[in-house]
Amino acid sequence: MKGMSLESENLPFNEYVYNDRWRSRTLDVKSYWDLHRRSIESFEEFWASIARELEWFKPWDKVLDASNPPFYKWFVGGELNLSYLALDRHVKTWRKNKLALIWEGEPVDQSGYPVDRRKLTYYDMWREVNRVAYMLRNNFGVRKGDRITIYLPMIPELPIVMYAAWRIGAITSVVFSGFSADALADRINDSQSRLVITADGFWRRGKVVRLKDIVDKALEKAPGVENVVVYRRLGLNDVPMTEGRDWFWEKALAGVPHNAYVEPERLESTHPSYILYTSGTTGKPKGIIHDTGGWAVHVYATMKWVFDVRDDDIYWCTADIGWVTGHSYIVLGPMLMGATQIMYEGAPDFPQPDRWWAIIERYGVSILYTSPTAIRTFMRFGEEWPRKHDLSTLRIIHSVGEPINPEAWRWAYTNLGSQNVAFGSTWWMTETGGIVISHAPGLYLAPMKPGTNGPPLPGFEVDVVDESGKPAPPGVRGYLVIKRPWPGMLHGIWGDPERYIKTYWSRFPGMFYAGDYAIRDQDGYIWVLGRADEVIKVAGHRLGTYELESAFISHPAVAEAAVIGVPDPIKGEVPIAFIVLKQGVAGTDELRKELRQHIRNTVGPIAEPAQIFFVSKLPKTRSGKIMRRLLRAVATNSPLGDTTTLEDETSVEEAKRAYEELKREVSQ
Ligand code: 6R9
C-alpha cells in the first residue's frame, strides 16, 4: 500500500477517547447508527428538512431527480443565490456589523506583531461584493453562466470576487496561486474564461511572489482572455500592464458608485456555481462542476454537524481557497452561518514556528480546521512552540486532506487541544463538495479514536467494497464507495460528460467510486488509507502522477518518465521520478536540477519531485504499460509481488540499483 504507512495491523481500532467537555454529546456507537439509519430511511425528507433552514426565492418541486443517473439533480425547481444567503440575509439582522473576516498579512514588525490587518464586517463584505458585482456586470459585461478565472492569494478580495460572481450567476474557476503559468493557462483555456482576476503579488515566507508576472506568461498561451483585473496587494510599482487588457482594481471599478447595489440573480438550484480543476488518473486535470442549491445545503449541514459553529465562535480553516476545502469551508460555510473567521496570508512558520499559535491566541480561535501535514510539521518543531501561547479557547479541531496517523492525532489532541477538544479527520474530496465521513460534535459525537475518519455523516450511505463490489468484512481493506447521491455531489466534468461517467460511476455500477482504499472497523468506523489510483497527496495537495509525467516529457532531454508517490514522514507522500533520457543526453546533476526547475515552472513548486533517478528503461508490461507498482516496491523496499507480466526483468534491477546508489550518496 502507498501513502502514509497506515499499516492496517497497527491501527488503533479499539482505542476510544472521551473527554469532559464533550461527554454529554458523546453517544454510544449503537445509538449513533440508529440515528444514521433513520436519516437513510427517510432520505429525501431528511435532506429537505435541512434545505428548509436556508432561504429560497422559490421552493423546489422535487428534492432529488434521479431519472437520468448518474446525472442527478438536487432541489429541482428551487431558486436561490449564494451571495444573498451569505450576506444579505445577515445584513438584515443584528449580524450586520458582526465581523465576518479578520485577515492577517504575513509581514510582522520587530516585535513579531502583524503589520497588515483588515477586519471586515458582514456589511463591509456586502458593500464590497455589490461593488464588484456591479463592476463585473457593467464594466466587463459578465453575464450569467460566464466563467471567470480567479488567480488570487489569500486576501479578502478572493471571497469578495467569488461572491460577486455568484451574485450575478457567473461561474468561478479559482486557480491556486501556487500553480505555474502553464497550469493557469490550461485552466483558463479549458474553462474558456475571458476575464482573469489576479493581484500584483503576495508574501510567502518573507519573500514576494510576483503573481501578475505569472499571469502574463500564462496569457501568451491563453489568447481568449480579453481583460485582466489586478488587485494591488503589495503596491508594486513595476507591474507590466498591457494597455486595453489589464486594469488595476481602482481603474476596473471606474464609475461604480460606493453604494452600488446589484439585485442577486434568482438562480436555479442546478445552476453551476463553480468549476474547480483537480487531478485524476490522466495527464489532463478535470474541471469538477458544482451546482448551487445542493452544494449550499451540504455545506450548511456539515458546518452545523461537524464544526458546531455558534455566534460566539472564532473559526479558522487554514486551507487555501484555491483548493476545495477553502471553497466549502472558508468561502461558503462560515459565511452561510454568519460566523467570524480568520484568514491568514502566509506561511505557518513565519517569522517563527509559533505564528499559528500566536494567531489562535490573538483572536481566541475556538474552531480549527487544518491538515495532517501541518500537524506533523509542528510536531517536528516541538511542543515548546504551542506551549508559549494560550490555546485554551480551542474546542473543536478537525483535519482534512490525507490520512492522519494516530501519533500526529495524539500530539495535536494533547498539545493543541489539552485533551479536551472534539477532534476528527474529515474525509471528503473535490468531487463530494463537502464532508462525508466525520465526527459530528455539533450533532452527536460517536466516541473518538486516533486516526479514524469516524462513521459516515447522517444522510450519507458509504461502504467499503471488494473487487466485485460486495461489502468487505470489517478489518479488511477495500474500496470506498458512496451508494446514494448526496446534495453536494459533483455534476460532471467541464466539457467531458463521458469522463464523468467513466471515472466515477463505472467501476461499481450504481455507486460513486472515490478512488480511495479504506477499512471499516467493528464499530462501522471508516479508516481511509490512501489513494488506490495514480493520484498522490503531497502535503494534502492533490496531484496526478500522469500530470507530472507529461510535464517531464515536455522537457527536450526526456524520452520517458514514470512518477510515483512514496511515503514521507511530514508531507504524507512525495513524488519521485524515474526518467529515461533521450539518446546521447547525459544524466548529470546539472540536468537533475534543471528538471526540478522545469516541474516547478510547468506544474508548480508543490509538485517538485523529492528525487529523480536516471534509468535506461522503465519496467513495463508486455503490452507496454508502465508498471508503477514495481517502482513503488523498489522505492519502499517491499516485495515485488507478481512480476509475470513484466517484459524485461533487468528494468527493475536497474531501478533498484539507481535507487540504492542515490540512497548511499545521500547518507554519505
Ligand atoms: C478535501 C480534499 C481528496 C482525497 C481523497 C483522499 C484524501 C481527504 C482525507 C483523506 C484520509 C481524510 N483525503 N481527506 N484521506 N483522511 N480525512 O482533500 O479534497 O483535494 O479532492 O482530495 O484526499 O485520498 O480521495 P481533494
Side-chain angles (χ1 to χ4, degrees):
M1 198 207 71
K2 65 195 194 82
M4 262 306 293
S5 37
L6 283 191
E7 293 303 332
S8 46
E9 309 85 66
N10 302 327
L11 290 177
F13 292 140
N14 296 313
E15 186 181 335
Y16 300 97
V17 179
Y18 302 90
N19 62 50
D20 286 343
R21 179 167 6 218
W22 292 98
R23 194 172 301 272
S24 67
R25 283 246 174 161
T26 308
L27 276 189
D28 61 86
V29 175
K30 187 181 164 302
S31 312
Y32 182 84
W33 281 110
D34 283 346
L35 187 136
H36 185 271
R37 184 176 37 79
R38 287 200 302 277
S39 74
I40 299 294
E41 276 166 10
S42 60
F43 185 67
E44 292 190 18
E45 179 41 37
F46 174 78
W47 283 115
S49 71
I50 292 156
R52 272 184 222 111
E53 293 180 24
L54 297 174
E55 206 181 312
W56 297 72
F57 297 140
K58 179 174 168 284
W60 57 90
D61 308 313
K62 203 170 173 19
V63 176
L64 172 64
D65 175 353
S67 59
N68 182 25
F71 297 92
Y72 300 97
K73 292 180 184 161
W74 281 89
F75 306 109
V76 185
E79 288 176 5
L80 75 171
N81 187 292
L82 298 177
S83 162
Y84 178 87
L85 288 175
L87 293 161
D88 300 59
R89 214 163 41 117
H90 304 310
V91 163
K92 285 193 254 173
T93 70
W94 66 269
R95 291 197 188 89
K96 177 170 178 176
N97 280 314
K98 182 181 172 179
L99 282 183
L101 205 60
I102 303 175
W103 177 82
E104 260 194 38
E106 189 188 71
V108 291
D109 65 16
Q110 299 262 301
S111 70
Y113 203 74
V115 290
D116 293 332
R117 288 208 297 170
R118 291 167 67 188
K119 294 186 178 183
L120 290 110
T121 65
Y122 274 92
Y123 197 41
D124 291 331
M125 292 287 282
W126 180 84
R127 287 174 61 99
E128 285 306 303
V129 165
N130 270 290
R131 276 159 46 80
V132 176
Y134 190 104
M135 162 186 105
L136 294 176
R137 192 189 60 190
N138 291 39
N139 295 3
F140 294 103
V142 176
R143 295 288 172 263
K144 181 178 170 189
D146 287 352
R147 278 80 58 205
I148 300 177
T149 293
I150 306 172
Y151 187 58
L152 281 170
M154 287 292 282
I155 55 174
E157 280 63 30
L158 177 44
I160 287 169
V161 169
M162 291 170 78
Y163 276 114
W166 295 338
R167 197 166 184 89
I168 58 174
I171 302 171
T172 60
S173 166
V174 176
V175 179
F176 173 50
S177 58
F179 275 138
S180 69
D182 284 358
L184 175 61
D186 285 348
R187 286 156 176 76
I188 292 172
N189 290 334
D190 190 78
S191 63
Q192 300 136 300
S193 298
R194 284 175 296 148
L195 175 65
V196 174
I197 302 193
T198 188
D200 54 354
F202 62 98
W203 289 102
R204 182 78 191 176
R205 205 162 272 125
K207 289 205 188 89
V208 162
V209 179
R210 295 180 59 99
L211 213 53
K212 173 62 165 54
D213 295 0
I214 304 175
V215 173
D216 285 346
K217 231 173 117 202
L219 294 195
E220 289 167 15
K221 294 186 184 164
V225 172
E226 292 159 12
N227 289 289
V228 180
V229 175
V230 184
Y231 181 82
R232 295 194 218 225
R233 151 66 185 120
L234 299 174
L236 300 176
N237 51 22
D238 59 345
V239 181
M241 298 291 275
T242 300
E243 188 71 32
R245 186 196 72 184
D246 301 351
W247 314 89
F248 280 120
W249 190 255
E250 312 77 55
K251 275 270 171 58
L253 280 162
V256 178
H258 278 288
N259 61 350
Y261 173 74
V262 174
E263 187 76 24
E265 282 270 346
R266 298 166 63 111
L267 300 173
E268 311 81 57
S269 171
T270 52
H271 178 72
S273 55
Y274 70 93
I275 306 172
L276 188 58
Y277 286 86
T278 190
S279 299
T281 52
T282 73
K284 190 174 173 291
K286 352 173 223 199
I288 301 296
I289 305 168
H290 282 282
D291 74 359
T292 300
W295 186 48
V297 170
H298 186 158
V299 170
Y300 171 74
T302 50
M303 280 311 290
K304 295 208 316 180
W305 301 339
V306 177
F307 297 105
D308 187 36
V309 176
R310 303 177 196 175
D311 264 314
D312 55 358
D313 273 310
I314 304 291
Y315 170 98
W316 186 21
C317 168
T318 64
D320 192 288
I321 293 173
W323 304 95
V324 75
T325 302
H327 274 62
S328 296
Y329 297 106
I330 298 176
V331 180
L332 185 62
M335 291 189 59
L336 275 184
M337 304 297 287
T340 298
Q341 70 173 320
I342 308 295
M343 189 168 166
Y344 169 56
E345 174 185 41
D349 53 352
F350 188 89
Q352 294 198 107
D354 63 344
R355 180 62 181 267
W356 280 18
W357 321 137
I359 290 175
I360 291 176
E361 184 174 47
R362 192 146 46 238
Y363 307 106
V365 171
S366 52
I367 302 169
L368 179 70
Y369 195 25
T370 191
S371 72
T373 290
I375 292 172
R376 289 190 294 262
T377 306
F378 290 125
M379 263 174 97
R380 200 186 43 185
F381 290 138
E383 55 230 43
E384 61 272 25
W385 294 101
R387 215 176 280 145
K388 282 179 200 248
H389 297 275
D390 177 6
L391 308 181
S392 62
T393 47
L394 286 172
R395 62 184 191 93
I396 293 178
I397 305 176
H398 286 299
S399 80
V400 61
E402 26 162 352
I404 186 160
N405 43 316
E407 304 73 47
W409 189 95
R410 291 190 196 99
W411 186 89
Y413 183 65
T414 305
N415 294 293
L416 308 180
S418 302
Q419 305 199 341
N420 210 18
V421 292
F423 182 9
S425 168
T426 67
W427 179 89
W428 61 295
M429 46 199 307
T430 305
E431 290 84 344
T432 68
I435 299 168
V436 174
I437 308 171
S438 170
H439 283 305
L443 195 62
Y444 287 109
L445 187 63
M448 295 182 280
K449 304 182 194 184
T452 188
N453 298 105
L457 289 171
F460 293 92
E461 204 184 338
V462 171
D463 210 343
V464 176
V465 299
D466 65 17
E467 294 285 347
S468 66
K470 286 203 223 39
V476 175
R477 189 184 89 172
Y479 301 97
L480 189 69
V481 294
I482 307 178
K483 290 184 150 169
R484 270 175 205 258
W486 64 98
M489 66 189 294
L490 74 166
H491 291 279
I493 295 174
W494 188 256
D496 202 346
E498 270 313 303
R499 192 172 171 197
Y500 167 63
I501 300 172
K502 214 175 131 228
T503 311
Y504 304 108
W505 300 96
S506 301
R507 174 83 190 252
F508 302 112
M511 304 179 208
F512 172 83
Y513 172 62
D516 277 328
Y517 283 128
I519 291 181
R520 181 210 300 272
D521 72 15
Q522 77 285 358
D523 292 324
Y525 285 27
I526 308 286
W527 302 66
V528 172
L529 305 171
R531 297 290 309 180
D533 56 11
E534 298 306 333
V535 169
I536 59 177
K537 283 297 243 15
V538 181
H541 302 318
R542 181 163 160 185
L543 294 171
T545 53
Y546 286 99
E547 237 174 291
L548 268 65
E549 287 166 8
S550 324
F552 270 114
I553 292 164
S554 72
H555 188 281
V558 176
E560 284 186 282
V563 174
I564 57 167
V566 296
D568 177 85
I570 301 287
K571 295 182 175 175
E573 275 183 295
V574 288
I576 66 171
F578 293 85
I579 303 290
V580 180
L581 293 170
K582 289 207 178 126
Q583 283 273 305
V585 180
T588 59
D589 275 349
E590 213 37 52
L591 181 58
R592 238 186 225 122
K593 240 193 244 151
E594 193 180 313
L595 289 175
R596 274 173 198 285
Q597 194 53 45
H598 178 70
I599 295 296
R600 292 177 70 95
N601 294 346
T602 47
V603 186
I606 47 162
E608 186 179 335
Q611 279 160 349
I612 295 175
F613 304 101
F614 294 124
V615 290
S616 68
K617 49 189 169 294
L618 295 171
K620 288 186 187 163
T621 60
R622 288 194 186 97
S623 57
K625 268 183 139 181
I626 299 174
M627 295 181 80
R628 292 178 189 75
R629 176 173 66 77
L630 296 182
L631 293 173
R632 212 170 285 135
V634 166
T636 54
N637 237 334
S638 34
L640 291 180
D642 182 14
T643 54
T644 48
T645 53
L646 183 64
E647 194 203 33
D648 178 353
E649 301 239 344
T650 61
S651 58
V652 176
E653 279 148 31
E654 198 194 334
K656 238 190 214 160
R657 261 200 316 278
Y659 186 74
E660 263 147 30
E661 226 164 81
L662 202 94
K663 231 174 36 192
R664 249 199 322 277
E665 273 174 36
V666 170
S667 61
Q668 266 164 16

